[in-house]
């Protein structure tokens, strides 16, 4: 799977797949503080879907970045994927670090089975 790193404007990042992740405002505040202090430490992960870049990893970073004054873009790793592979990547990228809840896993598995 080929990957490239690019800089994307915050407004250019689609969030269609955010519905498979739970939001945590407290976790977003921690990420916001980190962005202010250290900058972006790791790229978000996106893929091209329906003519735009869709986020599949980095939802907290994107939300936090939107509240950091002067931050207008994020570094993104672009992966080659289709919709099904992107859903599996959401699960895989977060499962390794133990960052998905059982509910999030269920949403993703349900979406994959429905296809």
């Amino acid at each position: 799977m080929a990957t490239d790193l690019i800089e994307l404007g915050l407004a250019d990042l689609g969030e269609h797949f955010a519905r498979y992740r739970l939001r945590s405002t407290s976790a977003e505040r921690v990420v916001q503080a980190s962005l202010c202090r250290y900058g972006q430490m790791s790229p978000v992960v996106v893929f091209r879907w329906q003519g735009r870049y869709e986020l599949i990893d980095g939802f907290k970073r994107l939300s936090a970045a939107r509240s950091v004054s002067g931050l207008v873009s994020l570094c993104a790793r672009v992966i080659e994927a289709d919709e099904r592979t992107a859903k599996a990547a959401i699960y895989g990228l977060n499962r390794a670090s133990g960052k998905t809840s059982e509910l999030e896993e269920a949403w993703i598995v349900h979406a994959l089975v429905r296809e």
Side-chain angles (χ1 to χ4, degrees):
M1 177 178 351
T3 62
D4 294 309
L5 287 177
I6 61 172
E7 197 77 18
L8 290 173
L10 302 181
D12 297 326
L13 292 162
E15 295 181 83
H16 177 80
F17 296 92
R19 62 184 167 180
Y20 302 115
R21 300 304 314 267
L22 292 170
R23 279 195 79 175
S24 168
T25 54
S26 61
E28 289 172 11
R29 282 192 297 271
V30 169
V31 174
Q32 178 187 9
S34 175
L35 282 172
C36 289
R37 185 169 186 177
Y38 304 109
Q40 184 181 1
M41 301 296 287
S42 61
V44 297
V45 180
V46 299
F47 79 111
R48 290 288 292 173
W49 185 62
Q50 297 184 351
R52 70 177 303 173
Y53 289 100
E54 283 293 333
L55 194 62
I56 57 175
D57 184 54
F59 295 100
K60 285 189 286 284
R61 277 170 279 169
L62 176 58
S63 180
R66 288 183 173 142
S67 61
V68 174
S69 179
L71 188 54
V72 296
S73 64
L74 288 173
C75 179
R77 180 170 306 281
V78 182
I79 65 167
E80 292 179 24
D82 57 18
E83 184 177 0
R84 184 176 179 88
T85 306
K87 289 174 187 173
I90 292 169
Y91 178 78
L93 288 166
N94 290 286
R95 175 117 170 107
S97 61
K99 293 180 184 173
T100 55
S101 70
E102 290 175 350
L103 181 58
E104 291 169 319
E105 289 179 13
W107 287 336
I108 295 167
V109 170
H110 182 260
L112 287 169
V113 170
R114 270 196 344 236
E115 284 188 354

